[in-house]
Amino acid sequence: MDDVYFLAQGDQMSQSVGHVISVSGSDVSGILESSDPGTAPSNVIQIGALVRLPTAVSNVFGIINGMRVENASTDRSSAQRKIVDVQLLGEILNNDPDGPEPVFERGVSIHPGLDCEIYGATRAELELVYARPRASNVRIGTIHQDRTLPAFIMTDDLLGKHFAVLGTTGSGKSCAVALILRSILEEHPNGHVILLDPHNEYSHGFGDMAETINPGNLQLPYWLLNFEEIASVIVSQESESADVETEILKGAILEAKKKYLEGESDTDFVTVDTPTPYRMGELIRLIEAGMGTLDKAENSAPYMRLKSRIDGLTADKRLAFMFSGLFLRDNLVDILSQILRIPVSNKPITIIDISGVPAEIIDVVVSVLCHMIFDFAIWSDRSKAPPVLLVCEEAHRYIPQDGAAGFSPTKKAISRIAREGRKYGVSLCLVSQRPSELATSILSQCNTLFALRMSNERDHMYVRNALPDSALGLLNALPALRSQEAVVVGEGVAVPMRLRFSDLDPDHRPRSGTATFSLAWQNDSEFEGFVAETVERWRKQLR
């Protein structure tokens, strides 16, 4: 009776492959009725295949996530029971043939009963389950069960509720990120995406679509740093007088900011964290003045350390983007406009290449960028402010699971976006090849996960613990996924699915490919002056 509707769609009747023997929540087990797999469609009794289980009021659909043999014996002619395990996904309610088109819905209102027939899903049924969502969406690939059927993500649910792309090196993670972002931005050319690129991979893949910022054109003046960030740079953290240095620096920065604004009628709003310019020369003068009031010379050590550290920072040409002392101007509006792409000017994504930022300050740079993006959103008129997506590559470097590791201000800034960002139109995308090293509290805020191949057992178990029960069956396939394949679960897709990402044009791929040793080592290097050229670039920090 339940097959009448499907036949009416002009699709061939699906074939029964077994019947239900156990139902427990969303888990169903069944017995295959034929010992000869050739009597059933080849795609029906494979891991990941979709099956249909009819009830009195609906057709319930699930994914095969396990197969086993009971009473196994070397004698195949002996009595054996072939069991399949099915994870239920959702249902299509029985419709009047003259009524509206049927719609697949996640969740099950009535579970299949014992002895219920199990059918292999037909192509028409696959089309219904994986139909294009009615909400705003983009295509990113094809479904695993039928490579001719497209796979879609729902734009608003994906971006509005944070997401993560996780997978081991070589699984196609960087290409997946580029494909997802390009697919969205091609449909929404006035987007606002900021991508933190620690390996200079992505600028190649986005071309003229991106505003690329690197240490050569980055403007991130020291006065933008909040006090925790500037103190981590200037104060001698291992020194016994670190607490004293911190207090001296705090008072001097506050006075320097008020000095810069002394011509204004109101400076009561100024705090040590207010993003207001101040002159580094004035800061040094205030430190020297404080040192001059001391009764004993031996108490001057904290002041001398601060002054020496500031002199070293301002003299380091690698840090010119932050500590250049040539001139001072309040260019916060220009900085925010460039990074946030307001206006977009045909470049909806800002790629911040931090690969050339000195290691000792890279965490501070990331922290400043993250807190600046979030603070701007908080103080914006929400009726005018455009939503922003922040993409963190190598996210485990900034928000590690180990509470003692990482840079505290960076962890705080990203944690705050994860917890509160959606209220203010700031969304987060975490990208990592080591998900087990990511802070659980932050990953748990990501409502959509793209899980690519993971062979590491720790990573696999970590992702399993982060996903809903309805997706656990799909995750069994993670170690066996091929490059360019992923399991996608969460709010960003209409139904959990295994998919293959679309092919990226070579010009749109990130520059992340492994060196081709077999070709490069066929001939001796004959690049005249290559080593000398590299040394020159190294010394002058030219990329």
Side-chain angles (χ1 to χ4, degrees):
M1 62 176 179
D2 294 307
D3 293 314
V4 174
Y5 166 76
F6 291 99
L7 284 175
Q9 302 307 301
D11 194 61
Q12 187 177 359
M13 173 78 74
S14 57
Q15 183 172 352
S16 172
V17 295
H19 64 275
V20 174
I21 60 170
S22 171
V23 180
S24 177
S26 62
D27 297 318
V28 170
S29 295
I31 295 181
L32 295 179
E33 294 177 343
S34 171
S35 61
D36 180 8
T39 62
S42 61
N43 67 329
V44 170
I45 52 174
Q46 295 180 356
I47 294 292
L50 195 73
V51 293
R52 175 172 63 88
L53 301 89
T55 72
V57 298
S58 64
N59 281 281
V60 176
F61 290 87
I63 287 182
I64 295 178
N65 62 16
M67 298 184 294
R68 63 187 184 279
V69 174
E70 292 184 352
N71 306 321
S73 170
T74 56
D75 180 7
R76 297 184 63 182
S77 64
S78 62
Q80 297 179 350
R81 297 207 312 171
K82 297 186 177 181
I83 309 297
V84 291
D85 297 319
V86 178
Q87 188 96 43
L88 301 183
L89 296 178
E91 64 186 2
I92 297 176
L93 297 175
N94 291 341
N95 292 85
D96 183 341
D98 298 325
E101 289 290 320
V103 176
F104 174 81
E105 297 180 5
R106 292 171 71 166
V108 177
S109 57
I110 295 183
H111 285 69
L114 297 177
D115 292 325
C116 171
E117 295 290 326
I118 302 174
Y119 294 90
T122 64
R123 178 184 168 84
E125 291 162 355
L126 287 172
E127 288 178 342
L128 286 171
V129 172
Y130 296 102
R132 185 166 203 148
R134 296 179 178 178
S136 175
N137 62 83
V138 295
R139 174 178 174 167
I140 59 169
T142 56
I143 67 170
H144 172 68
Q145 292 91 339
D146 188 332
R147 293 296 170 83
T148 65
L149 295 180
F152 301 95
I153 52 175
M154 296 183 290
T155 310
D156 291 331
D157 287 327
L158 178 76
L159 299 182
K161 299 176 182 178
H162 307 319
F163 66 101
V165 182
L166 311 172
T168 190
T169 300
S171 61
K173 174 170 52 62
S174 297
C175 285
V177 173
L179 174 70
I180 293 167
L181 296 180
R182 284 195 70 94
S183 299
I184 293 172
L185 293 178
E186 285 170 358
E187 292 291 327
H188 306 86
N190 291 315
H192 302 266
V193 178
I194 299 122
L195 193 157
L196 301 179
D197 184 1
H199 302 302
N200 190 23
E201 295 180 88
Y202 288 94
S203 57
H204 173 264
F206 286 91
D208 294 339
M209 184 185 287
E211 173 78 7
T212 301
I213 300 175
N214 55 47
N217 62 355
L218 176 63
Q219 297 181 70
L220 210 63
Y222 58 86
W223 52 264
L224 273 179
L225 279 63
N226 63 30
F227 182 70
E228 190 175 11
E229 291 159 350
I230 193 68
S232 71
V233 177
I234 295 178
V235 174
S236 306
Q237 301 300 320
E238 288 84 23
S239 171
E240 294 180 357
S241 62
D243 291 342
V244 177
E245 292 178 40
T246 300
E247 288 304 312
I248 295 170
L249 182 65
K250 180 182 289 188
I253 288 177
L254 184 58
E255 286 302 312
K257 288 185 176 184
K258 290 184 176 180
K259 180 70 174 177
Y260 182 82
L261 297 172
E262 64 180 355
E264 301 202 8
S265 57
D266 178 20
T267 60
D268 291 341
F269 66 90
V270 179
T271 71
V272 72
D273 287 330
T274 304
T276 299
Y278 60 93
R279 300 186 187 280
M280 194 58 79
E282 180 66 20
L283 182 65
I284 293 175
R285 189 193 68 77
L286 289 167
I287 292 173
E288 290 175 339
M291 185 168 54
T293 63
L294 298 175
D295 295 331
K296 298 180 181 180
E298 56 266 27
N299 294 334
S300 65
Y303 295 86
M304 294 299 295
R305 289 195 187 96
L306 286 175
K307 185 174 180 298
S308 176
R309 180 63 173 157
I310 293 171
D311 289 340
L313 291 170
T314 55
D316 191 339
K317 292 184 178 180
R318 300 175 305 160
L319 307 180
F321 66 89
M322 183 173 286
F323 291 101
S324 175
L326 296 178
F327 59 90
L328 178 69
R329 66 187 180 95
D330 186 353
N331 57 343
L332 183 54
V333 171
D334 296 336
I335 292 170
L336 287 169
S337 296
Q338 181 188 29
I339 292 175
L340 297 172
R341 305 309 308 146
I342 303 175
V344 174
S345 300
N346 299 318
K347 293 186 176 183
I349 180 169
T350 302
I351 298 174
I352 303 179
D353 172 18
I354 54 178
S355 61
V357 175
E360 61 266 29
I361 204 169
I362 191 168
D363 287 329
V364 174
V365 170
V366 174
S367 179
V368 176
L369 291 168
C370 291
H371 93 243
M372 185 169 60
I373 291 166
F374 186 66
D375 286 347
F376 178 82
I378 286 180
W379 296 107
S380 296
D381 181 339
R382 294 178 64 184
S383 65
K384 299 177 182 178
V388 173
L389 171 65
L390 173 63
V391 183
C392 289
E393 256 283 8
E394 299 281 359
H396 54 273
R397 291 170 52 171
Y398 313 120
I399 45 173
Q401 175 71 3
D402 183 354
F407 184 57
S408 177
T410 308
K411 293 172 71 173
K412 288 179 182 177
I414 297 179
S415 297
R416 197 176 179 198
I417 293 174
R419 292 193 314 270
E420 307 172 42
R422 66 192 69 184
K423 301 175 186 176
Y424 301 101
V426 181
S427 189
L428 188 64
C429 168
L430 303 179
V431 185
S432 177
Q433 65 201 40
R434 301 182 208 160
S436 60
E437 296 182 15
L438 273 171
T440 309
S441 59
I442 299 179
L443 182 62
S444 65
Q445 299 289 334
C446 296
N447 285 14
T448 305
L449 292 184
F450 294 81
L452 289 84
R453 183 175 66 250
M454 272 175 237
S455 52
N456 184 290
E457 184 63 22
R458 280 187 62 203
D459 292 337
H460 192 185
M461 292 305 299
Y462 184 80
V463 174
R464 285 179 67 90
N465 292 335
L467 292 180
D469 291 342
S470 60
L472 294 183
L474 285 170
L475 287 186
N476 292 328
L478 287 185
L481 291 178
R482 293 179 292 178
S483 180
Q484 218 172 324
E485 287 188 338
V487 169
V488 190
V489 298
E491 300 295 327
V493 288
V495 61
M497 68 176 77
R498 176 176 170 180
L499 60 78
R500 182 187 185 277
F501 288 107
S502 300
D503 293 327
L504 267 178
D505 185 287
D507 291 337
H508 298 162
R509 295 174 189 167
R511 193 184 289 108
S512 58
T514 304
T516 310
F517 286 79
S518 60
L519 294 178
W521 285 3
Q522 290 294 323
N523 300 298
D524 188 18
S525 297
E526 299 178 354
F527 306 118
E528 184 177 352
F530 172 71
V531 174
E533 177 187 341
T534 301
V535 169
E536 184 75 4
R537 291 161 62 93
W538 183 2
R539 285 174 173 165
K540 295 184 178 180
Q541 300 290 294
L542 301 173
R543 296 195 59 83

